[in-house]
Amino acid sequence: MNAETADATLKAGRREWLGLAVLALPTLLVAMDMTVLHLAVPALTDDLRPSTTQLLWSVDIYGFLVAGLLITMGSVGDRIGRRKLLLLGAAAFGVASVLASLADSAEGLIAARALLGVAGATLMPSTLSLIRTLFRDPAQRGAAIGVWAMCFALGSMVGPLIGGALLEFFWWGSVFLLAVPVMVLLLVVGPLVLPEHRDTQAGRVDLISAVLSLAATLSVIYGLKNAAEAGLGWRPAAFLAGGLLVGFLFLYRQRVLTDPMLDLRLFRNRTLSTALVMLTLVTVLMAGSQLFIMQYLQLVHGLSPLKAGLWSIPTNIGVMIGSIFGPMLLKTLPLGRLLATAMGVLTAGLLLLALVDGASDLALVVVASAVIGLGLGPMVALGTDLIVSAAPADRAGAASAVSETGTELGAALGIALLGSVGFAVYRSTVDGTLPAGLTPEQAATAEETLGGAVALAGELPAALGTQVLHAARAAFVDGIQATALTGAVIAALLVAVSLVLLRNATVPAPGHDPAETGSTGTETRTATPASGDEPAKTGSTSTETGTSVFETGR
């Protein structure tokens, strides 16, 4: 078979692109479900009367379980079949959505949201690994992952808008019912257009590893979240230390198992490891900057939540543009230089944000956030592609889960670390600028958060309240500047990382499979489709050749 014929057999056809359209559906929904409940909080609070703790758990438990179960579900998909896991997750997601919409108590809502989190954890690694199966041509796979990343950004953008529209006309539970028709469509069309792929030589899922993975991820994320809200006291420190200890035990167990849930040899690949670190860090920067941008829009500039959501649309548009057009630029720029350029754009966006000087700088904030999104988009698409492509086909589910876990941890780290920088500057600045005439309790409230200061200002006499508001907003802008400058330094370092560590990295050429790379093979593993299924144009077998693929530092 000559090169042109081989290249043609790798090209995706109409069935594969239709499969991508089907995979876009759960991606949109998982992203929407991350944000849609926030708008419904006032209405469900009035209806269910939850305690403060119950309200927090109803909001947070979905994201916690998605993050904690990603690695486990990615490994399960490699073993039982990725399409099978996707369809099981879709059915569970639909059922849980109905249960959440009908919840008549806080406990019932928390339980339904927990089930949604478990189901959501099956969807994300399944969609990515199935893209890996559908698209063997690197250019097409890069474009497909760019579409996947765009759908995630689109879901984050339209979730609050659609949720707000539903809440205008229906009860709070209606925001959950968006998922039901989409999941029904996935269950009907998915078996027709999506191939099945699994590792037939893999053993059973190690339950101890699953428990350790869940406990480690939940402890670390909860500790980071708690530290961001209350500072690094003994409680968040204990959760962080416990999570790191359990994580070490998880990694040790993976080293000694014959058939580990997560093959640590993956991380010997320099391209994969570098892409994972960069993807995590850009998520840190995005989450940290958005934390302050959204508060600026509402508490400094004075926009309503709906208007603030509308002004945040350019950020998501920037991510979508970068995700789609970034992979296309590989035709003209080497990978390392392209990612360095994207990180340069991200640096520029953060430096623009550092120029914000007051409540009148709305246009500057919106432009800066859009530029940040534009720089982030190529890294999301190409970084994810590098991680998924660097793994053998039989382990694509686990690699996809690693990528998703990195972004979840990055989001938590961004809020905790950059949030700590910004709030520390806010507290130290506002402490010396508050007007006289406040009681110690009132001063403490204003120094705690900008939200507390705004609420306090509304309760004070007009003149005193205006002074408090002015001091608090000025201090918060100082915090934004410090956070943006810190982020710009990190982004600039990522420019250097891209140019040095990824200078020779490439997206695998057509016909290349990481599982077929390396020297003499010591192990042959056959991955077959389920009976009666044909993995469209991907062939029915894949071969894993030894361990040298993991040891190749590109």
Side-chain angles (χ1 to χ4, degrees):
M1 183 182 293
N2 59 40
E4 291 184 1
T5 304
D7 183 44
T9 61
L10 295 172
K11 293 291 186 181
R14 183 173 61 181
R15 181 184 177 187
E16 287 82 1
W17 290 107
L18 182 57
L20 176 63
V22 172
L23 293 175
L25 298 176
T27 305
L28 277 168
L29 279 173
V30 170
M32 289 172 61
D33 241 56
M34 291 285 188
T35 58
V36 72
L37 186 62
H38 292 84
L39 287 174
V41 164
L44 73 86
T45 300
D46 184 60
D47 185 25
L48 302 182
R49 304 289 180 178
S51 66
T52 302
T53 301
Q54 288 173 329
L55 180 61
L56 290 174
W57 274 111
S58 67
V59 173
D60 293 337
I61 196 167
Y62 174 79
F64 281 175
L65 287 177
V66 168
L69 291 171
L70 281 170
I71 291 177
T72 298
M73 293 304 181
S75 180
V76 169
D78 287 337
R79 286 163 167 79
I80 70 170
R82 295 158 194 167
R83 186 183 69 183
K84 182 177 182 180
L85 181 66
L86 177 68
L87 297 179
L88 288 172
F93 202 95
V95 171
S97 297
V98 174
L99 293 175
S101 71
L102 299 176
D104 58 2
S105 67
E107 294 82 2
L109 179 60
I110 292 170
R113 289 280 289 174
L115 181 56
L116 279 170
V118 174
T122 70
L123 300 178
M124 298 311 293
S126 296
T127 55
L128 265 181
S129 55
L130 281 169
I131 289 173
R132 168 75 156 80
T133 302
L134 284 167
F135 298 92
R136 294 190 66 195
D137 177 77
Q140 290 186 324
R141 185 178 60 243
I145 291 180
V147 171
W148 175 88
M150 182 196 73
C151 288
F152 203 86
L154 182 62
S156 301
M157 179 177 70
V158 303
L161 301 179
I162 295 177
L166 286 173
L167 290 170
E168 285 289 328
F169 301 100
F170 304 103
W171 88 113
W172 61 266
S174 63
V175 298
F176 294 108
L177 295 180
L178 283 171
V180 177
V182 174
M183 291 305 171
V184 170
L185 181 62
L186 176 58
L187 290 169
V188 172
V189 181
L192 301 178
V193 298
L194 298 176
E196 183 60 285
H197 191 99
R198 60 172 173 262
D199 182 0
T200 59
Q201 300 299 313
R204 295 181 177 180
V205 175
D206 180 48
L207 294 180
I208 296 177
S209 294
V211 172
L212 290 174
S213 172
L214 177 63
T217 307
L218 289 182
S219 295
V220 169
I221 290 180
Y222 182 79
L224 289 171
K225 180 179 175 62
N226 203 263
E229 293 173 350
L232 189 59
W234 70 267
R235 183 182 178 88
F239 273 97
L240 288 171
L244 292 175
L245 176 60
V246 175
F248 173 79
L249 295 176
F250 170 78
L251 295 177
Y252 176 78
R253 185 167 180 81
Q254 303 318 293
R255 292 190 62 183
V256 301
L257 287 175
T258 304
D259 186 25
M261 176 179 289
L262 179 63
D263 196 331
L264 299 184
R265 294 174 298 173
L266 279 170
F267 300 103
R268 297 179 189 174
N269 184 313
R270 189 173 70 188
T271 298
L272 183 148
S273 299
T274 303
L276 178 61
V277 171
M278 290 183 65
L279 189 60
T280 301
L281 287 177
V282 296
T283 311
V284 167
L285 299 180
M286 186 66 171
S289 61
Q290 285 301 304
L291 172 68
F292 286 91
I293 288 171
M294 292 306 294
Q295 290 189 77
Y296 174 92
L297 293 176
Q298 296 180 70
L299 300 177
V300 176
H301 195 72
L303 297 177
S304 68
L306 179 59
K307 289 183 178 179
L310 291 172
W311 279 109
S312 69
I313 288 177
T315 307
N316 292 289
I317 291 176
V319 175
M320 289 188 282
I321 292 173
S323 299
I324 292 296
F325 290 100
M328 294 181 182
L329 294 176
L330 282 175
K331 297 177 181 179
T332 57
L333 283 176
L335 178 63
R337 196 177 301 171
L338 175 56
L339 290 179
T341 302
M343 295 302 96
V345 173
L346 179 58
T347 304
L350 289 164
L351 289 175
L352 280 175
L353 187 61
L355 297 177
V356 172
D357 194 39
S360 61
D361 287 335
L362 174 63
L364 180 59
V365 170
V366 173
V367 170
S369 63
V371 174
I372 290 170
L374 186 63
L376 179 74
M379 186 64 235
V380 173
L382 292 171
T384 302
D385 190 11
L386 285 172
I387 295 169
V388 175
S389 302
D394 297 340
R395 297 287 181 168
S400 301
V402 167
S403 170
E404 289 297 312
T405 303
T407 58
E408 293 290 340
L409 289 174
L413 278 169
I415 293 172
L417 300 183
L418 293 184
S420 297
V421 170
F423 288 129
V425 171
Y426 168 79
R427 288 163 186 155
S428 64
T429 303
V430 79
D431 181 49
T433 57
L434 286 174
L438 297 178
T439 67
E441 292 78 12
Q442 289 173 331
T445 298
E447 291 169 7
E448 186 65 26
T449 63
L450 176 60
V454 171
L456 175 67
E459 300 170 357
L460 295 172
L464 185 58
T466 300
Q467 290 178 302
V468 169
L469 202 57
H470 178 76
R473 286 174 170 171
F476 189 80
V477 168
D478 289 346
I480 290 179
Q481 294 170 349
T483 301
L485 288 174
T486 302
V489 171
I490 296 173
L493 291 175
L494 292 180
V495 173
V497 169
S498 301
L499 292 174
V500 175
L501 296 182
L502 296 177
R503 64 184 182 279
N504 296 321
T506 59
V507 176
H512 171 85
D513 189 322
E516 297 168 354
T517 301
S519 55
T520 57
T522 60
E523 176 186 5
T524 299
R525 206 177 256 183
T526 302
T528 60
S531 177
D533 289 314
E534 178 188 354
K537 297 190 181 181
T538 62
S540 60
T541 61
S542 62
T543 304
E544 181 177 331
T545 314
T547 61
S548 57
V549 58
F550 302 113
E551 298 163 355
T552 302
R554 296 180 189 157

